[in-house]
Amino acid sequence: MHIVVLTKPVPDPAAAAERLGPDGRLDRAASPSVVNGNDEYALEAALKLTEAHGGEVSLLTMAPAGATDTMRKALAMGATRGVLVTDPALAGSCVRSTVQVLAAALRDLTFDLVFAGADTSDGGGGIVAAGVAALLRLPYLSNAARIEPDPVSGRVQVRRITATGYDLLEAPMPALVVCTQVLGEPRYPSLKGIMSARSKEIATRSLGDLGLSAEAVGGTVATTQLLGTRRPPARGATQVVRGSAEEGAREIVAFLESRRLI
Amino acid sequence: MPAFWVIAEHNADGSLARISAEAATLARSLAAAAGGDSEAAGIVVAADPGHAAEQLAVYLPRVVAVADAAAAGHAWAVLAAERAAAVIGDAPDAVIILGAGPDGRDVAGMLAALGGRGVLVNATGAAWDGRLTVEMSVFGGKLITTSGFTAAGGIVTLRPNTVTAEVGPAAGTVERRSAAGEPSIPLVAVLDQVAEVGAAAPIEEARIIVSGGRGVGSPEGFDLVREIAAELGGAVGATRAAVDSGWVPYSQQIGQTGKIVKPQLYLALGISGAIQHKVGMQTAETIVAVNRDPDSPIAEFADLLVVGDLFEVGRAMLVALRARSG
Ligand SMILES: Cc1cc2nc3c(=O)[nH]c(=O)nc-3n(C[C@H](O)[C@H](O)[C@H](O)COP(=O)(O)OP(=O)(O)OC[C@H]3O[C@@H](n4cnc5c(N)ncnc54)[C@H](O)[C@@H]3O)c2cc1C
Ligand SMILES: Nc1ncnc2c1ncn2[C@@H]1O[C@H](COP(=O)(O)O)[C@@H](O)[C@H]1O
């Protein structure tokens, strides 16, 4: 079982230091970078499956060259190797370029499954994976709460969370699955994992290596553009109520009435 | 002049999803603002699209209902994306609006790849100002950006509760079509549809959310949260701590790895307000918290904080609410 996990380095949301640079792009120096939280669930699910069925987990990342540091953290969790697509022309890429680049990189890899996270914490809309599946004509199974590949039949079953429960989906492999937190907590890297990650392979690929050109993908052909930014309106001061439970309850009801919420 | 298209989602019973009524209202107002010969239209793709299409036509002058028998036994997104792409064609100035929930996202990603269109995600507002401008909240709510497409059109995913659904001046026409041709993306079979007990109303659409955290302490503790939600006519939300403890299903989780909600009222019971939770609910119009710790982070962004035990305050609140309505 070979699984490729799409992992994106993002500014650490817990540091809350994200900001835009003067060019309107993310100022990557301002924040420490981490593996996108939702991608860790996907990686954990992939590691569990390869532990059960044998095989390997590869990471695929499109990011600036410095992303190898962040990728090492994911390798320390247990992935076998990483592929980093990096090229100066990719700065300022939009969703369309990201989809094309990841699809092109996947064409050069062998896999039974591709896993992605539900969305990225740095403003991603949870749409890249669907685009990649569409370009590669892969069966697409999203919002997964359980993933059961059957190496014998070559098919994968997925429980897809719905508004009322779940749908049981089935498709032939290779297929692309979008993972959720319900699949289980990501593991912490062990000391041994951290040591061995240092020598694991991270292959870098440029646009040229993928047969793509800067006229087709990247910042110069972005489909979207930033026009402006503003700060959200500040919330008013917090009104604090102390006292008996009855007083507290009365205050809440009065407050809701004053705002015409009840 | 651009055409504004809504690709509508439907509920399990075949009725129109609320987010699609909101998207339709937005499409209609954008078309009116763009003027000229711009039109607003909707697309419904389903095995039996009739009901949702009639409902969508209340909001839009024109609805194309594509009947596709394959939608009965297969995942919806591929069919919706392919059939909608066939209806819309390759006009570069089409603006396509979808909900920012799981189904809308799936379709948006596929449509973007099939048509090479740009996407602006998780819109918290959109306007026509000689061109389409789309607002979104980024960096955990610290910044609001305004963006546009470099081409004349593109795809927008819209956050629920961004727009208030309003019916149009007159009911629109419904044009029925049947699906033609094999989709280019493989279909995924739906072997079974399972309803889970306790699956509640979708929290993204709720006007009022009553949410519980670790402080609720147990699955039984959530009975109180549910009772208060029922009394206020709201939905039940939760933090990851409560979901991980198995007290509430994941579908109710709010935050970075759960849902992003924008209700009129968010009542947080026993929730500390960690950054990963805050990003999912901070745009609620009103935030009320009950927490016994006056220094928990939620004290910094709630409108009203009652310092106390959530069970005592919660029960007293039920009494007060019932006395009021009684
Ligand atoms: C990658 C990642 C993603 C995450 N995604 C999410 C997410 O999507 N959503 C999310 O919610 N969290 C998420 N988290 C977890 C988040 O960091 C917090 O751990 C979580 O939100 C805490 O939940 P809580 O407020 O219920 O619990 P706690 O932080 O433990 O807070 C409990 C609060 O209840 C109060 N309390 C206890 N008993 C009572 C009582 N009887 N009466 C009144 N008050 C009481 C306490 O004073 C305390 O403030 C994520 C974390 C990571 C690392
Ligand atoms: N630059 C990238 N490199 C690798 N994977 C990515 C990248 N961007 C997005 N993804 C994958 O696609 C998922 C959804 O991303 P998004 O649509 O940006 O929210 C992420 O959770 C990743 O699994």
Side-chain angles (χ1 to χ4, degrees):
Chain A
M1 179 85 29
H2 288 273
I3 305 178
V4 179
V5 183
L6 306 181
T7 44
K8 185 183 181 190
V10 294
D12 185 356
E18 306 99 327
R19 60 163 199 238
L20 296 177
D23 56 359
R25 293 173 185 169
L26 179 68
D27 179 353
R28 290 182 193 265
S31 293
S33 181
V34 294
V35 179
N36 178 42
N38 279 327
D39 300 350
E40 287 196 350
Y41 297 113
L43 175 55
E44 176 62 36
L47 293 171
K48 285 210 187 86
L49 285 174
T50 51
E51 280 156 12
H53 297 280
E56 290 178 347
V57 176
S58 307
L59 310 171
L60 174 58
T61 299
M62 170 183 133
T68 46
D69 288 346
T70 317
M71 291 176 80
R72 295 263 171 234
K73 294 177 201 158
L75 291 172
M77 282 173 69
T80 310
R81 71 177 69 77
V83 176
L84 171 62
V85 183
T86 187
D87 198 295
L90 286 172
S93 285
C94 65
V95 167
R96 187 184 62 173
S97 292
T98 306
V99 165
Q100 287 184 352
V101 166
L102 293 175
L106 282 167
R107 283 197 186 96
D108 291 343
L109 302 173
T110 32
F111 53 81
D112 302 290
L113 291 166
V114 180
F115 284 3
D119 58 17
T120 44
S121 57
D122 61 348
I127 53 177
V128 161
V132 170
L135 279 192
L136 293 177
R137 309 289 191 248
L138 286 174
Y140 174 76
L141 306 93
S142 63
N143 225 6
R146 183 182 296 191
I147 306 167
E148 291 178 329
D150 180 355
V152 180
S153 68
R155 303 181 75 80
V156 61
Q157 290 197 350
V158 162
R159 281 191 183 184
R160 180 181 195 266
I161 303 169
T162 62
T164 47
Y166 65 88
D167 287 353
L168 183 62
L169 307 181
E170 191 187 67
M173 296 190 279
L176 190 152
V177 182
V178 180
C179 300
T180 67
Q181 171 201 314
V182 181
L183 290 160
E185 254 329 81
R187 66 194 63 189
Y188 286 103
S190 64
L191 194 59
K192 193 166 146 250
I194 296 170
M195 301 298 288
S196 69
R198 290 190 191 148
S199 55
K200 285 181 179 170
E201 177 199 1
I202 298 180
T204 57
R205 299 266 181 281
S206 66
L207 278 186
D209 294 336
L210 299 180
L212 294 170
S213 80
E215 283 91 64
V217 294
T220 53
V221 291
T223 53
T224 56
Q225 100 196 97
L226 183 73
L227 302 172
T229 63
R230 63 184 173 90
R231 293 196 170 282
R235 292 200 87 92
T238 307
Q239 183 184 332
V240 181
V241 177
R242 296 167 200 260
S244 72
E246 286 67 30
E247 281 165 314
R250 261 203 310 277
E251 288 287 344
I252 294 179
V253 172
F255 188 78
L256 299 185
E257 277 174 342
S258 73
R259 295 205 170 190
R260 298 181 182 284
L261 288 161
I262 51 174
Chain B
M1 274 294 147
F4 296 86
W5 291 95
V6 171
I7 302 174
E9 295 167 38
H10 53 274
N11 303 313
D13 65 359
S15 61
L16 184 71
R18 206 183 93 177
I19 177 65
S20 301
E22 295 173 358
T25 305
L26 177 64
R28 207 178 69 230
S29 72
L30 288 173
D37 57 358
S38 32
E39 68 155 350
I43 301 174
V44 179
V45 180
D48 181 5
H51 185 37
E54 294 295 338
Q55 287 180 315
L56 187 61
V58 169
Y59 300 94
L60 290 169
R62 181 179 160 223
V63 172
V64 180
V66 184
D68 191 338
H74 297 94
W76 178 74
V78 168
L79 293 164
E82 300 249 11
R83 303 311 179 200
V87 172
I88 296 167
D90 47 18
D93 61 354
V95 173
I96 304 169
I97 308 176
L98 293 122
D103 290 324
R105 289 172 160 201
D106 287 352
V107 177
M110 290 180 188
L111 264 183
L114 291 176
R117 298 177 197 268
V119 196
L120 291 168
V121 297
N122 300 331
T124 52
W128 187 269
D129 177 14
R131 69 185 289 181
L132 182 71
T133 59
V134 172
E135 279 201 346
M136 48 208 259
S137 159
V138 299
F139 300 158
K142 274 193 300 186
L143 199 66
I144 295 172
T145 60
T146 305
S147 302
F149 295 113
T150 53
I155 301 169
V156 178
T157 65
L158 177 70
R159 282 254 157 90
N161 284 346
T162 296
V163 175
T164 307
E166 277 167 33
V167 302
T173 57
V174 176
E175 192 180 311
R176 287 166 196 276
R177 298 192 193 173
S178 31
E182 280 296 302
S184 65
I185 309 168
L187 291 183
V188 171
V190 180
L191 301 185
D192 199 5
Q193 294 189 296
V194 180
E196 278 187 324
V197 283
I203 47 174
E204 300 102 306
E205 297 184 352
R207 199 179 70 91
I208 292 180
I209 295 176
V210 183
S211 222
R214 198 192 310 274
V216 175
S218 67
E220 300 76 46
F222 259 87
D223 290 345
L224 177 66
V225 181
R226 274 183 218 106
E227 257 185 277
I228 297 173
E231 194 63 35
L232 292 172
V236 173
T239 65
R240 180 166 132 185
V243 171
D244 281 350
S245 305
W247 306 336
V248 208
Y250 171 64
S251 56
Q252 309 310 110
Q253 181 177 315
I254 291 162
Q256 186 190 312
T257 45
K259 299 197 167 129
I260 312 269
V261 296
K262 191 174 176 293
Q264 284 169 17
L265 169 64
Y266 193 85
L267 177 57
L269 304 173
I271 292 175
S272 64
I275 177 78
Q276 295 91 347
H277 186 73
K278 183 182 174 194
V279 298
M281 44 67 76
Q282 63 191 338
T283 57
E285 274 163 44
T286 296
I287 300 172
V288 175
V290 181
N291 197 307
R292 60 183 178 201
D293 174 8
D295 298 321
S296 65
I298 204 161
E300 278 161 38
F301 58 94
D303 299 294
L304 178 71
L305 169 70
V306 172
V307 182
D309 178 79
L310 72 93
F311 294 99
E312 291 174 14
V313 176
R315 281 194 209 101
M317 213 185 128
L318 273 179
V319 172
L321 285 170
R322 285 177 182 149
R324 190 179 160 273
S325 61

